[in-house]
Each structure stands twice: as structure tokens, then as C-alpha cells.
Amino acid sequence: MTGLRYVYAVCRPFSTPLQAELTGVGGAPAKLLHHHGLVAVVSDVPARDFAEEPLRAHLEDLDWLSATARGHQQVIDALTVVTTPLPLRLATVFRDDSGVRVMIEEREEDFRRTLDRLQGRVEWGVKVYVEAEAPEPAASAAPAKPASGRDYLLQRRMRARAHEDTWQRAERFAGRLHTLLSEHADAARLHPPQNSALSRASGQNVLNAAYLVPRAESEEFVEIVDRTKGEERGMRVELTGPWAAYSFVDLEFSETPESAEEVTGESEKEIRQRADAQAAEEGS
């Protein structure tokens, strides 16, 4: 076995052509595999990288994973321009075209039902971070040395109380924002807070949410998010998208080993965002 089929997404047939010379994982061209009135978007990948054992090892190599996620997302982005794709998880692979066709036949009902739910909709991601507050001008000098043990304990208590107050404000703000945005979305998903060491984002992530929004209503949704920026001191609101609706697809495949998200704690789009940030940093 020298090659495998990498599957990016499943969608309904579409007439608008994909961009010319679209390439995906490993620089391989993306191809359309029609079956049972559905289309699987695939490319060829080498078994030496994507067979079960080497793939498990690669999923722990963040550089390899970032490059793979970039190629994967490149195809998904191109599909999102011309249709509503049902994106599959990073590194969904099958032995050959026959395996892809069997997968379509086995999950046909799920695919059609999910595509109906996603039709004309995109995913927007919203994160809230608690940022370190700049010191007040008067407090920029080094703090006075405690005169006694009692003063030292009092200073520690005051710092702990300020930290607790900040987190309570952050939780209230994140809760209000999530409720507001959920009212303007067809569906919402809360993800675990993002690991700042992996994402390289400043501050502590207190809200990591995804919202399924009709494409036609996306402008209004973005305006709502923009109005909240700067509303709460020390809180940073970050908006990403529009994405294919990764967070609203719940499908598992027996041939696929551990997903990238299970290994790294990041979604495909977060891996790609980190890869882009890394590339920009290296190029500066």
C-alpha cells in the first residue's frame, strides 16, 4: 500500500468551480469523488505518513501537525466560498476510493441531515481573554516594603481580592456575551478554554465559543461582537471566522485514529491560526 485517500469534507454537488490548482495536505491536488448524490473532497497522501502507526506519531509533532492543518484548512476555505461543506476531522483517511464510497453509503442519512442543518450557515468563533491590567501611574513605582508581618499579609490579601474581583467580572462579562450572541445564532457551542501555551495568545482565556450563524446575518452578528469590544476594562474580545461549521459536526469514523484535537486540545482552525502566527513571527 503506497497511497491513501485523505477526505476533507462531504458536500452536495455544486456547479461553481473550485479555484484553479487547489492543493491540500502535502501539496496534493484536491479532487471530487461523486457517490450517491454526494461529493467527497479528497486527495492522495502517502501511507508512510498517514497509515495508522506513523499518523499517531505525527499527531504529536506540532510542526508537522500545523503544516497538515494548513493544507486541510486551505481546501475547506475554498469549499466554503462555493458551497456549504460538512468538514471532516483533521487526518480522516481511508485505504482507497472504495473505502470512501463505503463511508458515504454508511453515513448517508447522517450526512444529508447535517448538510440540511448547516445549509447557508457559517461558524464564527468568539474568545474572551482576561488581560493583565496596566498599573496606575501613581502605582508604577516599586511598592513600599511592608513595615511589618501584618502589613505583608494585608498586601497579599488585597492582591488576592483584586485578582478574585477581576475573575468574577470576567465570568459575568463572558456569560452575558455568550447569552447575547446565542440569541443571534441558530446554535452555539462552548469549548474548553484554550491553552495559552499552545495558542501563544496573551491573557487567560475565559470564553471559547462557536456560533452557527446564517451567512446572510453574519454582518449583524459581527457588529454585535464589535460593540462589546472595550466594554469591560481588562477584557479582550477576539472574533474569528467565518469558518466552515466544524463545531457543529458530530461524526466519528472507525478507520480514523486519534484526532488532532484530542492530542493537542486545539481544533483544526485553531491549529492553523497558530501555524499562521508562527509563520508571521519567523518572517518578521
Side-chain angles (χ1 to χ4, degrees):
M1 178 175 61
T2 59
L4 300 170
R5 297 297 179 274
Y6 187 109
V7 188
Y8 300 90
V10 172
C11 53
R12 289 197 169 86
F14 52 92
S15 56
T16 305
L18 287 171
Q19 66 189 60
E21 300 179 359
L22 174 64
T23 59
V25 172
K31 302 181 291 187
L32 306 183
L33 177 62
H34 292 258
H35 191 61
H36 275 217
L38 294 171
V39 178
V41 184
V42 306
S43 67
D44 299 328
V45 291
R48 67 176 180 273
D49 289 327
F50 287 89
E52 185 170 351
E53 288 306 314
L55 180 56
R56 286 184 189 278
H58 278 316
L59 290 178
E60 297 180 9
D61 179 345
L62 294 185
D63 290 334
W64 184 92
L65 189 58
S66 293
T68 301
R70 190 191 300 271
H72 179 101
Q73 189 63 39
Q74 186 166 287
V75 174
I76 299 297
D77 287 346
L79 284 169
T80 305
V81 173
V82 299
T83 187
T84 299
L86 188 162
L88 303 191
R89 300 180 99 172
L90 190 69
T92 296
V93 292
F94 294 88
R95 293 183 181 86
D96 50 28
D97 286 348
S98 295
V100 179
R101 292 188 182 98
V102 170
M103 177 269 292
I104 290 175
E105 292 172 9
E106 290 178 344
R107 307 306 296 270
E108 184 174 352
E109 186 177 335
D110 290 338
F111 286 148
R112 293 187 185 279
R113 183 171 56 249
T114 304
L115 284 167
D116 285 343
R117 180 165 52 84
L118 300 183
Q119 184 61 38
R121 293 167 176 81
V122 292
E123 175 177 328
W124 290 92
V126 177
K127 296 183 177 71
V128 174
Y129 295 91
V130 179
E131 296 188 305
E133 295 188 23
E136 297 293 332
S140 57
K145 185 176 180 180
S148 65
R150 182 174 179 277
D151 289 341
Y152 171 74
L153 291 174
L154 180 60
Q155 286 182 9
R156 287 195 59 180
R157 191 176 303 125
M158 290 174 63
R159 285 195 296 268
R161 187 176 301 159
H163 181 75
E164 184 178 345
D165 288 346
T166 297
W167 277 96
Q168 287 178 351
R169 282 195 305 109
E171 290 175 354
R172 288 195 298 269
F173 173 67
R176 289 197 309 271
L177 179 59
H178 180 60
T179 298
L180 172 65
L181 297 181
S182 297
E183 292 171 352
H184 291 82
D186 288 347
R189 291 282 173 87
L190 284 172
H191 297 303
Q194 193 172 359
N195 186 326
S196 58
L198 290 174
S199 66
R200 298 187 179 185
S202 63
Q204 292 294 313
N205 184 210
V206 292
L207 176 68
N208 182 11
Y211 303 90
L212 186 66
V213 179
R215 190 184 292 274
E217 299 173 19
S218 285
E219 186 175 347
E220 179 186 358
F221 185 86
V222 171
E223 289 175 355
I224 292 170
V225 176
D226 284 344
R227 286 198 295 269
T228 69
K229 295 179 179 180
E231 182 178 301
E232 191 73 31
R233 182 171 53 87
M235 311 295 159
R236 186 175 87 255
V237 179
E238 182 180 284
L239 174 72
T240 61
W243 305 98
Y246 281 104
S247 300
F248 303 92
V249 176
D250 300 305
L251 296 169
E252 298 291 341
F253 300 96
S254 58
E255 288 195 41
T256 307
E258 297 159 294
S259 72
E261 189 167 357
E262 288 167 346
V263 174
T264 67
E266 296 178 281
S267 69
E268 285 87 342
K269 59 180 180 290
E270 288 171 333
I271 293 168
R272 186 209 176 186
Q273 287 175 304
R274 180 163 56 81
D276 288 343
Q278 211 169 344
E281 186 176 296
E282 290 169 357
S284 61

